[in-house]
Amino acid sequence: MALGTMTWGGDTDSEEAASQLVAFVDAGGTLVDTADIYSEGESERVLGALLGDLVPRDDIVLATKAVARRTDGPFGGGASRGALLTALEGSLRRLGTDHIDLWQLHAWDTTVPVDETLAALDYAVTTGKARYVGVSNYCGWQLATAAARSSAVAPLVSTQVEYSLLERGVDREVVPAAEHHGIGILPWAPLGRGVLTGKYRTGTPADSRGASSVFAGYVEHHRTDRAARIVQAVATAADGLGTSPLAVALAWVRDRPGVVAPVVGARDTGQLTGSLAAEEITLPPAIRSALDDVSAIEVGYPERGL
């Protein structure tokens, strides 16, 4: 598992963030993911303040992202060389470190030649400011294009995409492209934005993201009739295995082809501990097959072949 920090510096204060980070590292976790726009940069600041005194910097694989617009002006966002290198310096400053272990492009930029974008990644790696590079939210052709044109100096090593029993669109082209180019998959929202935990089956808990003015729309995206059928199947599987729906959903996506580490975010440390417990769960083939079937998406030509 990887630890996601999207709410740190916003809904998650520094004290709770510290508790989560310690619990994550104590459980053997290493990969911590953030981005320069999470909580308008506060996520990086909170995380950076915890590294060193609370958790040794070298114990963490530190991942962050750039491209999304942070400020007005020509270098306030996007995937141009100037914007990316400006973003990198800002992330290093907020995180209080001299290098990022995994620097990711948060989205494809249609206004910038891909070779210019990739040249900025080369610079980041050759200067030691980034050790590895990846992408996020790329569709299949974008991932394949960037992977094929990236250099031996800074090859793409990862792609971070939404992937869960409720969101399997990446199975059509992104997963095959990642496997072909040897790129690891980091699923974000592996719990279907929280819906797969089953907490929304009878309503919206007052302390949930679904009740938050900031994240209500984010959660509502997956509150559909199809999602309800999948959640019921997950709950049934959890009852049969004597575990939680959360653990079943995470175990399913964790063991998908090409997946390296699902990125889990948590409201509190107790919720995070529940997610980490999924590492001990192995789904029987019959249950995995049933979940595959109930969540299956239509794959048409040409992905399915002739």
Side-chain angles (χ1 to χ4, degrees):
M1 302 292 173
L3 177 61
T5 65
M6 182 174 68
T7 63
W8 288 20
D11 287 355
T12 303
D13 62 26
S14 57
E15 183 176 346
E16 175 57 36
S19 177
Q20 290 186 23
L21 184 61
V22 170
F24 179 70
V25 173
D26 285 350
T30 56
L31 177 57
V32 182
D33 180 72
T34 185
D36 58 358
I37 62 162
Y38 289 170
S39 300
E40 299 181 344
E42 287 303 309
S43 175
E44 288 185 329
R45 289 191 183 94
V46 169
L47 176 56
L50 299 177
L51 298 179
D53 293 336
L54 186 66
V55 173
R57 168 67 180 87
D58 290 343
D59 288 355
I60 294 297
V61 178
L62 183 59
T64 192
K65 312 177 194 74
V67 172
R69 183 151 292 278
R70 308 172 309 282
T71 63
D72 294 333
F75 304 125
S80 70
R81 178 185 177 90
L84 286 175
L85 297 185
T86 298
L88 178 59
E89 294 299 334
S91 288
L92 291 171
R93 183 176 61 255
R94 287 186 292 273
L95 288 164
T97 187
D98 62 356
H99 72 279
I100 306 298
D101 295 307
L102 176 62
W103 193 39
Q104 303 156 99
L105 301 175
H106 214 156
W108 179 271
D109 189 341
T110 61
T111 67
V112 178
V114 66
D115 289 339
E116 177 180 343
T117 298
L118 296 174
L121 301 187
D122 285 357
Y123 173 83
V125 172
T126 55
T127 57
K129 295 181 178 181
R131 300 295 168 83
Y132 298 92
V133 293
V135 298
S136 181
N137 301 313
Y138 274 33
C139 67
W141 74 263
Q142 292 167 346
L143 177 62
T145 298
R149 299 183 75 91
S150 64
S151 72
V153 171
L156 300 185
V157 302
S158 66
T159 181
Q160 190 171 153
V161 288
E162 183 172 6
Y163 195 14
S164 73
L165 280 160
L166 301 186
E167 182 52 81
R168 294 186 58 185
V170 294
D171 279 331
R172 293 187 179 96
E173 292 191 350
V174 174
V175 172
E179 289 188 289
H180 178 75
H181 289 282
I183 294 171
I185 299 169
L186 301 173
W188 62 263
L191 291 172
R193 310 186 185 196
V195 175
L196 285 165
T197 63
K199 70 174 69 175
Y200 299 106
R201 294 170 71 188
T202 58
T204 302
D207 62 348
S208 68
R209 287 182 180 176
S212 163
S213 59
V214 176
F215 291 105
Y218 173 81
V219 174
E220 196 67 26
H221 178 77
H222 284 318
R223 297 182 72 176
T224 64
D225 290 342
R226 172 181 177 271
R229 292 192 296 273
I230 296 171
V231 171
Q232 181 58 52
V234 170
T236 300
D239 288 343
L241 295 173
T243 188
S244 67
L246 177 153
V248 169
L250 278 179
W252 180 89
V253 73
R254 178 200 65 204
D255 295 335
R256 294 295 292 171
V259 168
V260 174
V263 181
V264 294
R267 181 181 66 254
D268 53 42
T269 305
Q271 191 179 68
L272 175 62
T273 301
S275 294
L276 297 176
E279 288 283 29
E280 302 175 5
I281 301 297
T282 299
L283 298 181
I287 288 181
R288 174 167 293 280
S289 179
L291 294 176
D292 289 349
D293 290 344
V294 74
S295 65
I297 58 171
E298 183 178 351
V299 178
Y301 173 83
E303 292 87 5
R304 69 164 184 261
L306 295 174

